[in-house]
Amino acid sequence: MVDVLSVFDMLKVGVGPSSSHTLGPWRAVQRWMGELSDRPAGLAGVTSVRVHLFGSLALTGRGHATDQAVALALLGHDPETIDVSAIPALVADLAARRTIRPGPAAYSIAFDPATDIVFHPDERLPGHANGLTCVAGIGGNETETTYYSVGGGFVLRADELDEPAGGPNAQPTLPNPTQVPDDLRAHCAATERTIAEVVRDNETAWRSGPEIDRDLDRIWRVMSEGAYRGCHTDGSLPGGLGVHRRAAPLARRLMGGDGAESVDAWMAAIRATDHDFGEVLQWISAFAMAVNEENANLGRVVTAPTNGAAGVIPAVLLYHLCLADDPPADPTRAVRNFLLVAGEIGTLFKKGATISAAMGGCMAEVGVSSAMAAAALAEAKGGSVDQALMAAEIAMEHHLGMTCDPVGGLVQVPCIERNTMGAVKAINAAELAVASDPTFARVSLDEVIHTMRDTAESMSERFKETSQGGLAVNVSVRVPEC
C-alpha cells in the first residue's frame, strides 16, 4: 500500500515550541473534545476532564508547553488562529477559574490544570514515545481515549496506529503515487516534468490549482513573517534558561540599522546590498535563529517538518531569494515550487523512517528539514531530479545519529543553533549535488532513509527528546519547572 500524504501535511501552521509536544497534543485534545461532542448527548453530562501525559510528553512536557497546549485546546482555541500574545493570560485565567465552558453551552466542566494534567515521567505507552490518555467523567463513570503525537503535528488514536501515514480516511487516489524516492524519480521521468510539477499534480487530489497557490503563499507568509519578527525582537526567551535572543542584534549589525518596516521591504533591502561570504553565513544564521527564537517564544511558525526544525527551510529559501548569486526571476513561483519539493521530500522520510525526535533524535527533525531544503534548493538552481534527490541524501547523510537532548526540556539549547547548521548543510548539499554527476553517487536517498530508520531504532532512549542524555545532563544550567 502507498501511503498518501500532502505537502500540507508536512508544512502545517502552528504554535511553538514543539510540533510533537505542543501542536500534536493540542490537536489530540481538540479531536477528543470533538469526539465527545459527537455523542448523542454531546458534551451534556460531562462533568470533568483529565489528561495524562506519558513518555517523552511527560519528561519534557513542561519545557515544551504541552500543559499549556492541552489547556488552550480545552478552552476551544486553535493553533492556527489564536492570538499568541494572549496565551499567558488565557492560561492564567484558566488556572484561577478551574472550569472550561465548551462552545456556547451554558454549562461548565471542572478542570484544574494543576491537578487534571497529570505527568507520568516513568511510564511509556506501548504505541509511541509521545502518548496521552484523555479521561472524561460522565454520569458517575469515566471513559478514556488514548492518542499518540507521532511527530510533525500528526496525531493518531491508539486504534489507528497501523493505519497508513496519512491517517484514516485520508487516502485519495493520486496521479503520481509515491512511497519511495524511485517512485518519484519514475514519475518525473515518465512525464518529463520536474519534482515540483509532479507534486503539484498530486496536490490537485485535495485542492484546486488556485487553492494550492493560496495555501503555499500562506505557508510562506507565516515563515517569512516569523523570520522578520525574530530579526526585530530583542530580549530573553522564556523558560528559565535565560537564553538571549541573538537574531535581532545580528540582523541589525548586518543591516547597519533597524531595517525596513515590512517583510517585503526588509527582503528587498537585504537583496540590494552586497555581502561577502562571512556575511552570507551570518544572514543564514540570523534567518534560522529568528524563526526558532519565535518558536521558543510560543510564536506562530510552520512545522517544516517539525517546529523544532522550523527555521531551516525559511532560512534556505530566504538565502535563495535574497543572497544567492542567481536569485529567481519570478520569486512567487520560486517560493511555491520550493515548498512543493521540500514538502514531498519530507513525506518520503515520514513514510520510510520518522520525523519524530522522540523516535529518531534530532536527525528526524533538523536532519529531515535539511534534506527537504537541500532538494528544493537543488531543483531551484536548475538541478535535475537525480541531483535534487542526491542533495537530500547528502544533507541527511551528515545528520545521521544526531541526538535530541534539549537542555531543561526547552526547544532552545541546542535546538536554535542546530537550525543554523541544518540550513548551511542544506545549501552546501545542494551546491555539491548540482555540481556533481549523480551517476557516480555511491549512496542513494532510499539507502540513507533506511539507514536513518535503522539508526533511530538503535539509539538509546536517553537521546530521543527525553532530556536524560547528552547536553541535557552535562550543561550546568538546570530549570526546576522542567
Side-chain angles (χ1 to χ4, degrees):
M1 177 182 292
V2 176
D3 294 334
V4 177
L5 288 169
S6 164
V7 296
F8 298 104
D9 291 324
M10 308 306 298
L11 304 172
K12 304 184 184 77
V13 176
V15 172
S18 171
S19 48
S20 58
H21 289 61
T22 315
L23 180 59
W26 196 324
R27 291 300 189 199
V29 173
Q30 282 183 314
R31 180 177 174 183
W32 176 56
M33 292 297 286
E35 291 169 354
L36 287 176
S37 298
D38 289 340
R39 297 164 55 247
L43 290 173
V46 177
T47 57
S48 65
V49 294
R50 180 170 294 151
V51 177
H52 297 266
L53 305 174
F54 298 90
S56 182
L57 289 184
L59 288 164
T60 64
R62 289 192 176 90
H64 286 77
T66 306
D67 48 351
Q68 296 184 60
V70 168
L72 293 165
L74 290 170
L75 288 171
H77 295 285
D78 189 88
E80 293 197 29
T81 57
I82 189 172
D83 177 0
V84 293
S85 66
I87 288 176
L90 291 168
V91 172
D93 180 67
L94 175 59
R97 192 175 68 244
R98 292 181 289 183
T99 58
I100 59 172
R101 293 184 179 275
Y107 58 87
S108 62
I109 299 173
F111 178 77
D112 183 352
T115 56
D116 291 325
I117 301 176
V118 187
F119 291 81
H120 301 272
D122 297 324
E123 295 182 57
R124 170 177 165 158
L125 299 181
H128 192 277
N130 296 327
L132 64 158
T133 297
C134 303
V135 181
I138 305 174
N141 297 311
E142 289 188 338
T143 179
E144 65 178 48
T145 309
T146 293
Y147 301 89
Y148 293 99
S149 176
V150 296
F154 287 87
V155 170
L156 294 174
R157 205 170 53 216
D159 61 309
E160 298 167 352
L161 284 174
D162 293 330
E163 296 282 350
N169 304 316
Q171 303 291 308
T173 300
L174 303 186
N176 310 293
T178 298
Q179 185 72 16
V180 296
D182 278 348
D183 295 335
L184 181 59
R185 179 183 289 107
H187 293 310
C188 291
T191 59
E192 298 183 341
R193 291 184 295 178
T194 64
I195 295 174
E197 290 168 338
V198 166
V199 175
R200 178 177 284 274
D201 196 18
N202 277 344
E203 289 299 317
T204 61
W206 291 279
R207 297 166 173 82
S208 67
E211 289 172 335
I212 294 169
D213 289 338
R214 176 202 67 196
D215 292 345
L216 290 170
D217 292 347
R218 177 169 178 261
I219 292 296
W220 175 236
R221 185 166 60 252
V222 174
M223 285 182 170
S224 58
E225 287 176 352
Y228 176 80
R229 283 195 311 274
C231 280
H232 292 81
T233 305
D234 291 292
S236 296
L237 297 173
L241 284 181
V243 173
H244 187 69
R245 296 179 72 136
R246 289 184 285 168
L250 177 56
R252 266 197 306 275
R253 182 172 61 77
L254 291 167
M255 289 284 288
D258 288 333
E261 295 183 358
S262 71
V263 176
D264 290 341
W266 177 63
M267 290 173 58
I270 297 170
R271 194 161 42 239
T273 306
D274 290 332
H275 306 282
D276 63 29
F277 179 69
E279 290 170 340
V280 170
L281 286 177
Q282 289 173 38
W283 265 121
I284 295 165
S285 295
F287 298 148
M289 286 193 298
V291 173
N292 279 83
E293 286 171 355
E294 284 296 294
N295 178 64
N297 200 44
L298 275 78
R300 182 162 288 112
V301 297
V302 175
T303 66
T306 67
N307 282 32
V312 175
I313 287 175
V316 175
L317 191 38
L318 282 166
Y319 160 81
H320 179 52
L321 296 173
C322 302
L323 298 168
D325 293 333
D326 50 349
D330 183 348
T332 298
R333 183 170 179 269
V335 166
R336 292 169 180 171
N337 287 343
F338 191 104
L339 295 176
L340 288 169
V341 176
E344 181 67 10
I345 296 301
T347 71
L348 297 176
F349 280 95
K350 177 165 175 58
K351 293 168 184 175
T354 181
I355 60 169
S356 169
M359 298 299 288
C362 196
M363 67 176 169
E365 297 204 18
V366 170
V368 171
S369 188
S370 185
M372 293 165 67
L377 182 60
E379 181 159 294
K381 292 176 67 64
S384 67
V385 172
D386 284 334
Q387 286 172 326
L389 298 179
M390 182 182 185
E393 180 280 316
I394 293 171
M396 174 51 73
E397 182 180 340
H398 300 289
H399 282 92
L400 289 173
M402 182 179 286
T403 60
C404 180
D405 47 355
V407 175
L410 299 166
V411 190
Q412 297 180 19
V413 179
C415 318
I416 294 171
E417 282 186 357
R418 280 189 181 163
N419 275 257
T420 72
M421 300 298 107
V424 171
K425 284 184 182 180
I427 295 167
N428 195 25
E431 294 287 354
L432 280 172
V434 172
S436 300
D437 181 351
T439 304
F440 299 105
R442 288 295 172 262
V443 182
S444 71
L445 179 56
D446 186 59
E447 289 168 335
V448 88
I449 290 174
H450 280 281
T451 303
M452 177 193 165
R453 184 188 63 206
D454 292 344
T455 304
E457 291 173 353
S458 301
M459 287 175 67
S460 166
E461 295 297 315
R462 295 188 301 120
F463 302 118
K464 297 180 180 180
E465 206 168 4
T466 61
S467 287
Q468 295 180 323
L471 289 173
V473 298
N474 288 299
V475 173
S476 58
V477 178
R478 294 292 177 264
V479 186
E481 67 267 29
C482 295

